[in-house]
Every structure is written in structure tokens, then in C-alpha cells.
Amino acid sequence: MKQTMTAKIIGSHLVSGKMVAGEEIGIRIDQTLTQDSTGTMAYLQLEAMNIPRVKTKLSVAYIDHNTLQTGYENADDHLFIQTVAAKHGIVFSKPGNGICHQVNVERFGRPGWTLLGSDSHTPTGGGIGMLAIGAGGLDVAVAMAGGAYYLKMPKVCRVELTGKLQPWVSGKDIILELLRRLSVKGGTGRVFEYTGEGAARLTVPERATITNMGAELGATTSLFASDEMTRAFLAAQGREADWTPLAPDEGAEYDETVVINLDELQPLVAKPHSPDNVAPVVELTDSKVDQVAIGSCTNSSYLDLIKVAKILEGKQVHPEVSLVIAPGSRQVLGMLADSGALSVLLRAGARILECACGPCIGMGQSPKSGGISLRTFNRNFEGRSGTPDAKVYLVSPEVAAVSALTGTITDPRTFGAAPVVVMPDKFVSDDHLLVFPPADGQAVEVVRGPNIKPFPKAQPPAESLRAPVLLKVGDNITTDHIMPSHASLLPYRSNIPHLAKYCFSGVDSSFPERALQAHGGIIVGGNNYGQGSSREHAALAPLYLGIKAVLVQSFARIHRANLINFGIVPLLFADSADYAGISLNDELVIENLRDQLSAATVLTVRNVTTGKDIPVKWEATERERQIILAGGLLNYTRQAGGV
Ligand code: MIC
Ligand code: SF4
């Protein structure tokens, strides 16, 4: 049979299930990555599994989110992760080494491998032909312990790129165009495979920008072929031996096809407050800009920043604009310094930040009240910048750099000749901030500072459920809404009791208090509930507050899995019109909950307040039913006698 790239990688890693779209499959994981903000939980869970050494081919623990260290908390987290990593055979990437996805593509990723990461932008690895998937920390811990990763076999959508990118148009515009067409829900249950002459011409960093933001489509992952371009990139990284070819078979059949003609593509921008709110840059020109931020795991590669330096060379940042640049990795920063581009950036007036997530996750550089910030990042959800009423626009590095000079959103095509950048023959690797684990980690003592708190344990469901609706929300609720993540909270990712006080704080600040008093409650929501990040804190905090079930019109993939992993029942309205028939504080009852969860596909929820019965779907695989009945994945794994 003629196979897609997705089918080839899944086929060679399949441990259970059939490769039929929508069926549950289990795949073997070659490599894992964690970052610090989700990593502490992942490693606490790995410890709970009693596995002396990870069983993956390679596991890497990055510190990139929480590098500000304004108190002891972050440093406690870092040391905990460093010592757990040494004990269990995991490579540790110290703070300052760079953003996990950027460094992973540079130094560790391999075409044809599977990668599971506790971060939703793990699909960045698809830029070098890895099947790279984002998941909750517990799923990643199970994979480190040698367990399979379970998911629904995705549909495979081909994105055929015809023609050639025009001057000033880049990889970022390709993914923004897809977001414009398909929306933040459009990728659900799908892998996007990029093919065609346009794809072959893209450099690895451009490909990685596109696969990175496939996460914003809600896609399971995205993939480019591993071709000569990939080989050249890995060779320049001194890793040619890691290269293997990957391409779809001629005539492979896809479930869907989208065609983007690059000849016609123009510079695009995602307007506030969603990555799919996309318009041509030319429609927004003349809007004044207060801040320009260049970096994040989407656009912080050496090629991106060299382009920026060429645009800024000999010019000055507009006096009313603050330009901040966070290089994606130490390799990028070092090469900018060696090439002289760093001084070009400095002389133009740019502020250079550490090689880390930084402003992307609200760690510093929050714009002024009501400020307009132009960012090369991947997310512009309301409040994510740390300034509740800021307006964040997502753009390419080209648009960002040109607008930093003019002080208004500017169509770069009006700016003169586009910079030409070429892939270096050799990247200078600087692996001094990588710590490799000892051959035998048994003697390593794991250091647990006071910021490392035990995580809440899920419980098996009761015979029946009677609980009030403690919160009713609308469509596209993000994990940033559920468990906000700004600078004041990020240091508490290993302290759920503290975090839980801020659960849904931007939506309804009385929720945590009411939930604790109710001793059991239900959340009701609309479509695409839980989109965005992989943070399982968006399930752990509600668990801590006693939430038993979440009833919505549809879920984002990773969040639904996280709810199940922590024993919270994810339910869907059978008839989405019933959403309107439930109000805040209504009392809902599900009789024989346990029995129904074990076998039924449609459950009846009685709204005691209105007297109406509401049919809800419990669309779970046999494995998911067993996990919920066991009281979460950790209990299930233990009962099953390990992974
Ligand atoms: C994000 O971009 O929101 C994060 C922070 O990287 C998250 C992970 C987290 O919540 O820690 C993600 O995307 O998974
Ligand atoms: Fe870090 Fe932002 Fe990328 Fe998340 S999206 S990994 S916070 S740079």
C-alpha cells in the first residue's frame, strides 16, 4: 500500500490498534522532552512509578520557561529536575541553553523517530521529519517508563505548497494562512503533511515555524519530509549520522488536501486575541506599535535573527517602540555574536533577552496598559502577555523588524529589497550547558526544596454524582483561562494548592472559593474547551478544587486526555442546543455513574433545578474507561502492574 509519512512512522512504532482514522492506537516513544513548567509534575509522577532509569532511547529535560528566578521557587524546581534527571538517565539542559523546541531540533531530534513532549509545541520536531506530539506530563512520564502513548489514529491532511514564496513573505505566513482558512479547531484529529515544490524549498527553520504553529490549529502534529534540506541542516549541526530519509510514497492517499499557492501569499498578521484571527498586513498598516518582541519557539532561529539584523542594519528602532529580542538558543546567540549581527542588533536599539520563552509566557516585557505589541510568537490569547488589556498581534520576523523601525504596523513590501539569508554550512555548537547523566544514577540524591509539593491524587468515581454547575463558560476556553500562567504564578507549577487559588481567575475569581465549599462540582462549556497549552495544571487545579466532570460541546485533544488522566470525567452534549438549558448553580445528577462510565456511550444527566433530562456522550475507548474507573492514569498504571 502507498503510505503517507504519518503512516510510515506510526506503522513502525505501533504497539496496539489499527491504523484506521478515529481508532485508538498505541505507539512506542523513542524520545521525550519536558520543560520546567510542566516538568516538575512529570518527574514527580515518574518517581511515583518506581522506574530506576528511563527506557526511552533519549530523554531531555529543558529549563526554559521559568528562568527569571525572582525567588527561591524556580531555583528549587531547577535543582529538583536536574537531580531527578541525573538519577533516571535524562539529559539536562540548563537555564540559558535555550527554548526546548529550538534546541531539540538543533541538537537531538531525529527524522523518523517518535517524540512525546510535555509541551503543546512539541510538533516543532516535525520540521525535521519526526512524529512529534505534545501531551500532558503524566503521559510523558509513562512514556519515559517504557509505556506506549495512546491516541486516536489521526486523519492525514496533505498541505500542498505550490509555487514559491515571494520576497518578504515567509514560513510564518504559510501557517497563518492555514489558520485563517481552518481556524483554531480546524486541525483537530489531524496530522498535516506538507508536500510539493514549495515545501521542498523551505529551510528547516521555516519548516519548524510551520509545524510549531500546527499546535494552534489543534492538530495532533505536522510533518515535513526528511530530504536533502534536512540532511544539510543536520550535517551543518555536525549530526549527519542522525539523518534518515522520509517521504510519502508516490500516490499515497490522503484523507484531505489543502493547496496553498505560495506565489499568491502575502504578509499576514493574527489580530487579537486568537491565532486564527488573521488578516493581510496591508489592511492594518498605520496602526501604532508600542512594543515589538522577536523570539519564542516559533521564530527565534539563527536564520530568523540574521534576517532581522539585515533589516535593522544601520537603522534605528523608532523612539516610541521597545524592541526586545530573545534568541531561541545559546547556539543562535553565540553565532549572532560571532557573525557581528549581535552588535548590529544592539546598535539599532534592540534589547537582548535571555535565550528562553520569556515574554511569550508573560515572564517579563508585559506591554503598557492597552499597549499594542507585535510579536513573532504563536499565541496571542487575551492576558497572556501579562497585561490584561494589551493587544497582541502575531507576525513574521520580517514584519516585526520593519515595524520596529517605522513605529506602525508596516507592510514590508513597501520597504525596499528583502534581505537574503543563506543557511550556514556549519552551525557552531555550544553544548556546555548540557549535563549528561551518569551511567549509573542510583547514588544521586534527588533534592526537593520547599517549593516541591505533592500533587493531588485522583479518586475513583462515586456510585452516583450529584453536584452543582460551578462555572459556565463559552467557546474556545484556553488553558490560559483555566490555569493562568503569568510571571507571578509560573514559579508555582509544582505547588498545586497555591495555583488552584487562581483557577479561572480572569473569568470568575470567586470560582476557587465556591468550588472548595461545594465539595464537588461540574464545569459547563462550549466548543474547543481547553485549547492551547499541554499544562496538566489545567486539570490538576480543578481536581484539587473538587471538580468531578466537565460537560462541553467539544474538547481540545491534550486537555481532554489530561482530564481523564486525573480522573475528571469529560462529557459532551449529545445535542449542543442543551448547552443553553443549563445555568450557573443548577444541580445536576448522574445516577449509577460508575456503571454507566464502564459501559454506556450515552449517559443521562438530570438537571434537578429545571427538571429536564439531558443526554450526554461519553465517547471513551475501553482503556479510557478503565483509567477513569481506576481514578486516573497513575492508579490505572499501578493496578495494571506497571507500564
Ligand atoms: C505555553 O506556550 O503555554 C506553554 C507554557 O509552553 C505550555 C506549557 C505550559 O503550560 O507549561 C504549552 O504550550 O504546553
Ligand atoms: Fe515557550 Fe512560548 Fe514556545 Fe510555550 S509557546 S514553549 S512559552 S516559547
Side-chain angles (χ1 to χ4, degrees):
M1 214 182 103
K2 310 238 172 11
Q3 286 194 308
T4 61
M5 296 186 276
T6 310
K8 287 185 184 184
I9 303 185
I10 291 182
S12 60
H13 290 80
L14 197 66
V15 294
S16 73
K18 287 207 196 72
M19 291 202 290
V20 174
E23 299 269 308
E24 185 179 72
I25 53 168
I27 54 172
R28 196 166 24 81
I29 297 300
D30 297 318
Q31 193 194 339
T32 62
L33 74 76
T34 57
Q35 38 88 341
D36 48 312
S37 79
T38 54
T40 46
M41 276 301 149
Y43 294 115
L44 285 168
Q45 288 151 355
L46 178 68
E47 285 190 304
M49 284 177 228
N50 285 323
I51 303 288
R53 214 173 163 81
V54 293
K55 298 193 176 145
T56 42
K57 292 182 183 158
L58 176 68
S59 286
V60 189
Y62 293 92
I63 306 289
D64 54 2
H65 280 60
N66 232 324
T67 55
L68 274 187
Q69 297 178 230
T70 46
Y72 65 88
E73 293 87 358
N74 297 164
D76 278 8
D77 286 0
H78 300 172
L79 188 57
F80 168 68
I81 294 176
Q82 180 160 7
T83 49
V84 172
K87 191 170 186 77
H88 295 278
I90 298 160
V91 180
F92 179 72
S93 172
K94 289 166 81 175
N97 197 40
I99 306 175
C100 54
H101 310 301
Q102 173 69 24
V103 179
N104 211 64
V105 166
E106 291 170 356
R107 308 305 302 146
F108 295 111
R110 288 199 192 190
W113 273 22
T114 51
L115 167 69
L116 194 70
S118 65
D119 190 280
S120 61
H121 290 103
T122 303
T124 312
I128 51 167
M130 299 189 94
L131 191 85
I133 302 178
L138 181 48
D139 281 321
V140 176
V142 168
M144 285 190 270
Y149 175 63
Y150 294 86
L151 72 163
K152 288 219 171 107
M153 178 68 198
K155 286 186 184 165
V156 186
C157 175
R158 170 182 188 183
V159 185
E160 198 190 338
L161 302 179
T162 64
K164 192 168 174 243
L165 283 175
Q166 298 301 299
W168 294 109
V169 187
S170 69
K172 183 63 158 273
D173 301 304
I174 298 177
I175 188 65
L176 289 177
E177 170 64 10
L178 213 52
L179 276 153
R180 186 185 72 78
R181 293 197 203 173
L182 305 181
S183 92
V184 290
K185 307 194 281 277
T188 313
R190 290 170 174 74
V191 175
F192 291 89
E193 277 192 15
Y194 291 82
T195 65
E197 43 162 350
R201 250 189 239 117
L202 295 175
T203 62
V204 164
E206 281 172 313
R207 295 176 183 185
T209 295
I210 294 170
T211 53
N212 172 281
M213 276 191 85
E216 277 49 66
L217 290 164
T220 305
T221 192
S222 306
L223 258 176
F224 276 85
S226 170
D227 53 12
E228 285 309 313
M229 197 66 97
T230 325
R231 187 212 288 256
F233 174 84
L234 289 175
Q237 289 286 350
R239 302 206 288 128
E240 192 168 1
D242 291 347
W243 183 77
T244 42
L246 175 72
D249 290 333
E250 192 78 40
E253 273 184 30
Y254 288 87
D255 295 302
E256 295 160 352
T257 298
V258 177
V259 181
I260 300 181
N261 181 352
L262 302 187
D263 292 331
E264 288 167 7
L265 199 64
Q266 51 172 315
L268 297 173
V269 48
K271 299 183 288 180
H273 296 288
S274 182
D276 61 359
N277 192 12
V278 173
V281 169
V282 9
E283 285 178 15
L284 284 145
T285 46
D286 302 333
S287 319
K288 202 175 154 325
V289 173
D290 302 300
Q291 179 192 59
V292 173
I294 299 178
S296 90
C297 55
T298 315
N299 278 119
S300 60
S301 67
Y302 176 68
L303 289 187
D304 283 327
L305 299 192
I306 280 290
K307 228 185 308 181
V308 170
K310 290 201 169 181
I311 296 170
L312 298 185
E313 188 153 20
K315 306 197 171 64
Q316 283 296 306
V317 171
H318 190 276
E320 280 161 37
V321 173
S322 168
L323 170 65
V324 294
I325 299 179
S329 69
R330 204 172 159 80
Q331 175 181 85
V332 172
L333 179 56
M335 287 177 66
L336 289 175
D338 294 345
S339 67
L342 185 58
S343 41
V344 169
L345 298 175
L346 289 171
R347 299 227 165 88
R351 300 164 65 185
I352 306 296
L353 307 180
E354 192 174 20
C355 307
C357 300
C360 179
I361 189 63
M363 294 306 268
Q365 307 305 323
S366 299
K368 71 170 195 195
S369 303
I372 300 223
S373 178
L374 222 57
R375 300 180 160 205
T376 64
F377 306 173
N378 48 34
R379 291 187 172 143
N380 59 347
F381 302 140
E382 201 165 4
R384 184 174 163 96
S385 66
T387 304
D389 59 355
K391 296 196 177 60
V392 176
Y393 292 77
L394 305 176
V395 294
S396 66
E398 287 87 336
V399 174
V402 169
S403 306
L405 296 174
T406 60
T408 52
I409 298 182
T410 302
D411 184 342
R413 292 172 303 178
T414 60
F415 199 74
V420 179
V421 293
V422 280
M423 183 80 161
D425 295 335
K426 189 170 167 11
F427 288 93
V428 180
S429 30
D430 167 1
D431 291 339
H432 295 103
L433 295 192
L434 289 174
V435 183
F436 290 85
D440 180 355
Q442 272 184 52
V444 176
E445 200 194 313
V446 175
V447 183
R448 256 170 263 274
N451 198 42
I452 312 293
K453 297 273 189 283
F455 57 92
K457 306 285 179 313
Q459 302 295 333
E463 287 308 323
S464 300
L465 175 68
R466 183 184 185 104
V469 175
L470 290 176
L471 194 70
K472 185 174 177 189
V473 290
D475 288 346
N476 292 326
I477 286 294
T478 70
T479 49
D480 281 342
H481 288 115
I482 305 172
M483 197 54 258
S485 194
H486 39 73
S488 62
L489 291 181
L490 211 50
Y492 297 97
R493 284 298 185 88
S494 32
N495 186 343
I496 299 296
H498 180 79
L499 276 189
K501 292 184 210 155
Y502 301 90
C503 189
F504 280 107
S505 58
V507 178
D508 176 351
S509 56
S510 69
F511 169 72
E513 197 56 44
R514 289 188 290 111
L516 281 175
Q517 275 165 15
H519 297 292
I522 294 174
I523 296 172
V524 171
N527 270 306
N528 200 23
Y529 179 89
Q531 67 158 329
S533 109
S534 67
R535 69 186 70 131
E536 53 196 358
H537 306 76
L540 280 163
L543 167 69
Y544 177 82
L545 295 172
I547 295 301
K548 305 289 181 212
V550 179
L551 170 57
V552 300
Q553 287 165 331
S554 67
F555 284 104
R557 177 185 65 91
I558 305 179
H559 185 61
R560 177 179 178 277
N562 285 339
L563 289 174
I564 292 183
N565 285 352
F566 292 102
I568 299 178
V569 187
L571 298 171
L572 295 174
F573 286 102
D575 176 357
S576 50
D578 283 332
Y579 169 83
I582 299 190
S583 310
L584 190 66
N585 297 326
D586 281 1
E587 193 79 9
L588 306 185
V589 171
I590 308 178
E591 301 289 358
N592 301 325
L593 178 68
R594 274 195 73 85
D595 288 352
Q596 299 209 60
L597 288 174
S598 69
T601 51
V602 177
L603 277 58
T604 302
V605 174
R606 167 141 267 254
N607 187 337
V608 182
T609 312
T610 63
K612 272 195 77 175
D613 282 347
I614 305 160
V616 302
K617 290 190 281 185
W618 165 229
E619 286 179 336
T621 65
E622 188 47 37
R623 182 176 167 275
E624 289 172 338
R625 288 174 195 275
Q626 296 309 324
I627 293 175
I628 279 284
L629 290 173
L633 181 58
L634 206 52
N635 288 339
Y636 168 81
T637 307
R638 286 206 193 102
Q639 284 168 15
V643 285

